[in-house]
Amino acid sequence: MTAGTDQVKPADVWREADDAKKFLDQAAIELAAVKKELDALLQVEAGSHVLDVGCGTGADVRALAVRVGPGGRVVGLDSSEQLIGRGRPAGPGAAPVEFVHGQAGALPFPDAAFDVARAERVIEHVPDPQAAVAEMLRVVKPGGQVLVTDPDHGLWAPDLDDRRLTRTIMNWWSDHVPNPWVARQLRELFVRAGAQDVRVKLQPVVLTSLAAADALTWIGKAAAAAGAQGIADAEAARAWGEEILRRDAEGRFLMFGTFVVVTGTKK
Ligand SMILES: C[S@@+](CC[C@H](N)C(=O)[O-])C[C@H]1O[C@@H](n2cnc3c(N)ncnc32)[C@H](O)[C@@H]1O
């Protein structure tokens, strides 16, 4: 008898990550197409003031500083003191960058301080997604833009032989982040926060190795966790995990997913 998949929460593997920088750098490689789309959507120009909420290692902050140039300003905010402490300048010809320790739900900035605020793979982790979106809108100027993107954790699709077991484990494993369905909820969060001209775009992600998939979903930990937590029969979960390793070793691993990108404007 296995436990109901809605009764046992998977561990929050993000907090367990012992090398967050390595994980974020690998994710950035897998998300090159997503980041290109975000760059195209972002209404940033020379001299813009930009906020990156949940900036992680600050790689996007530095890229934005080059884009807005020396007349602009780019601020990265993150709740991790460990990551924010590693923030580096963007180099000559770029805007000055600032790294600030803080919470997305209570941004330490005055109203209308920025032209644009963005958050990439952050709202899925915050305690109050509605407060985070409202705060991003608060700190942009009237006419300013807010952009948020997250993957929908209910839509990760690995190709594995046992469809029933895959559905069971993946459905359960999607809860390893605090807000697994926030991507599909973002439009409502923007509308409720009073954003105008709210637009939704989808961006597919194709992952052809376990290392790539682990950078975004930690699927490599799912089999052992499902067996240990009684979500699936321990032997069946072990075999499921071995199939992932076998497919990866034989170069035929595939998992895909969907990022939801929502933009809105402040009235
Ligand atoms: C998956 S990482 C994404 C980092 C970066 N945006 C990127 O795309 O590489 C999530 C980041 O959100 C930060 N974070 C989580 N909860 C937060 C909160 N409540 N306020 C601010 N940052 C938060 C984490 O510390 C982490 O750096």
Side-chain angles (χ1 to χ4, degrees), residues 4 6 19 21 45-46 48 54 58 66 76 92 96 117 142 151 173 180 225 239 247 254:
D6 55 349
D19 192 347
K21 184 174 182 313
E45 53 194 38
S48 291
V66 172
W173 187 243
R247 282 176 177 265
L254 174 67

Side-chain angles (χ1 to χ4, degrees), residues 103-215:
Q103 295 291 331
L107 295 174
F109 308 109
D111 296 359
F114 299 95
D115 299 296
V116 173
R118 77 190 285 283
E120 178 182 338
R121 294 188 302 133
V122 177
I123 306 303
E124 63 194 276
H125 299 289
V126 305
D128 185 345
Q130 183 70 77
V133 171
E135 277 291 89
M136 291 176 78
L137 265 178
R138 180 183 66 75
V139 300
V140 297
K141 298 172 182 161
Q145 183 195 42
V146 172
L147 180 153
V148 173
T149 189
D150 285 282
D152 190 303
H153 286 280
L155 296 179
W156 290 114
D159 175 28
L160 292 164
D161 290 343
D162 188 334
R163 292 203 303 272
R164 192 167 165 199
L165 184 57
T166 300
R167 282 190 202 107
T168 300
I169 295 180
M170 292 306 290
N171 187 40
W172 169 73
W173 187 243
S174 69
D175 283 340
H176 78 276
V177 293
N179 310 308
W181 276 17
V182 83
R184 69 186 75 174
Q185 296 160 345
L186 285 172
R187 182 173 186 277
E188 181 180 11
L189 298 180
F190 271 59
V191 170
R192 283 187 186 278
Q196 305 290 296
D197 193 22
V198 180
R199 296 180 191 211
V200 180
K201 289 206 163 206
L202 302 182
Q203 187 69 34
V205 181
V206 177
L207 305 163
T208 54
S209 71
L210 178 56
D214 263 350

Side-chain angles (χ1 to χ4, degrees), residues 14 24 35 54-56 78-80 83 102-104 120-122 126:
W14 165 251
L24 291 174
K35 286 182 182 289
C55 63
D78 204 283
S79 61
S80 162
L83 285 173
Q103 295 291 331
E120 178 182 338
R121 294 188 302 133
V122 177
V126 305

